[in-house]
Amino acid sequence: MKELDTAPILITGMSGGGLSTAAKVFEDKGFYVAQNLPPEIIVELVELCTRADSPVSKLAVVTDVRARMFPGSLIETIKELEGHGMEPVVLFMDARDSVLIKRFDSVRRTHPLQEGDTLKDGIEREREAVAEVRERADIIIDTTNLSVHDLRRVIEASFGSMNKDVPHVTIESFGFKHGSPRDADLVLDMRFLPNPYWVPELRGYRGVDKPVSDYVLSVPAAGAFIDRFVEMLDTMLAGYRHEGKDFITVGVGCTGGHHRSVAIAEELGRRLRETGKVEVNVLHRDINRE
């Protein structure tokens, strides 16, 4: 049996959460992408792609709540793949209910589970239906505050090079005034550090710029915090791996997501890469937002 270059990726989540955009990103990255497959067909497709004569080396499958009309469930499919030694990576796309409603309204579509009721009723039914899969997901991406271009960057950063042998850590800076990321496994609050915004000569810079980075990292509390967090995360990673969780997202927040969180996220990324134990990607969600 041929081994795929990466684990098969199952893309699922809330209707309107960005599944189609995610599929396009994986297509652009050279994946063979199959959309809207019933659960029982997914195992057959993965097996087909692992045959010696298969031209497919990277596979992503999109399946959404409409597959419920067919026998089987996505959880059963995941377990069957695991039993065949083909453990998939599950990507769950999500967004806040209010945003999902706006997206459906903008394209004048009804929700697949609306059943003559309100759009909100359909979304609530879907949340209940996909709750178990969301809990099992390796990566959850909240698209509430993401543009199409932002989503592409988040997906590419979250998956990195897809090295199967090391944990993947995504460090995402953000501004609390824009809402904390719901897809983060850990959230760090940098508002205990002095704010460069109140230093006139630094206000126009960002945390990726040396003047701001130097200012933030010169505070003794910043260095002490980073040292302790890197040590703590090293302990947690062993536990995560034991529990089968290889993708971890760390949110690093400050007020606006321009200065402190960005500088600390960059330094955390550098320090974690130095360990050689993890694959690290750093994102700055709100760095260009007002």
Side-chain angles (χ1 to χ4, degrees), residues 107-119:
V107 294
R108 300 182 184 278
R109 288 174 50 206
T110 58
H111 189 279
L113 299 186
Q114 194 165 335
E115 301 174 0
D117 296 320
T118 67
L119 185 53

Side-chain angles (χ1 to χ4, degrees), residues 60-114:
V61 179
V62 181
T63 183
D64 60 27
V65 74
R66 290 172 292 180
R68 292 177 67 208
M69 67 182 70
F70 295 95
S73 71
L74 190 55
I75 290 293
E76 292 170 349
T77 298
I78 293 168
K79 290 179 179 177
E80 187 171 351
L81 287 171
E82 291 172 340
H84 286 77
M86 299 178 291
E87 184 171 353
V89 174
V90 181
L91 169 60
F92 190 96
M93 310 297 294
D94 202 353
R96 290 191 177 92
D97 288 359
S98 58
V99 172
L100 294 176
I101 289 172
K102 287 180 180 178
R103 290 175 182 172
F104 273 98
D105 283 343
S106 68
V107 294
R108 300 182 184 278
R109 288 174 50 206
T110 58
H111 189 279
L113 299 186
Q114 194 165 335

Side-chain angles (χ1 to χ4, degrees), residues 153-154 157-158 168-174 181 184-186 188 190 226 229-230 233 248-253 261-273 278-285:
R153 286 191 287 270
V154 170
S158 296
H168 302 252
V169 178
T170 296
I171 301 174
E172 179 181 8
S173 72
F174 70 93
D185 300 292
L186 303 167
L188 311 180
M190 296 299 104
I226 291 170
F229 179 76
V230 170
L233 185 61
I248 299 95
T249 298
V250 180
V252 183
S261 61
V262 174
I264 296 296
E266 288 286 334
E267 181 63 12
L268 280 175
R270 186 188 69 79
R271 289 281 299 276
L272 290 172
R273 289 189 192 99
V278 295
E279 183 175 89
V280 183
N281 295 284
V282 179
L283 297 171
H284 303 302
R285 190 190 74 181

Side-chain angles (χ1 to χ4, degrees), residues 1-9 29-32 46 49-51 54-60 87 89 159-165 168:
M1 183 176 71
K2 183 187 80 171
E3 187 174 352
L4 296 172
D5 290 348
T6 72
I9 297 169
K29 291 176 70 66
F31 280 73
Y32 176 82
V46 174
C49 291
T50 55
R51 283 174 31 178
S54 171
V56 175
S57 60
K58 297 191 292 185
L59 174 66
E87 184 171 353
V89 174
F159 283 86
S161 65
M162 291 299 295
N163 185 332
K164 300 177 183 179
D165 300 322
H168 302 252

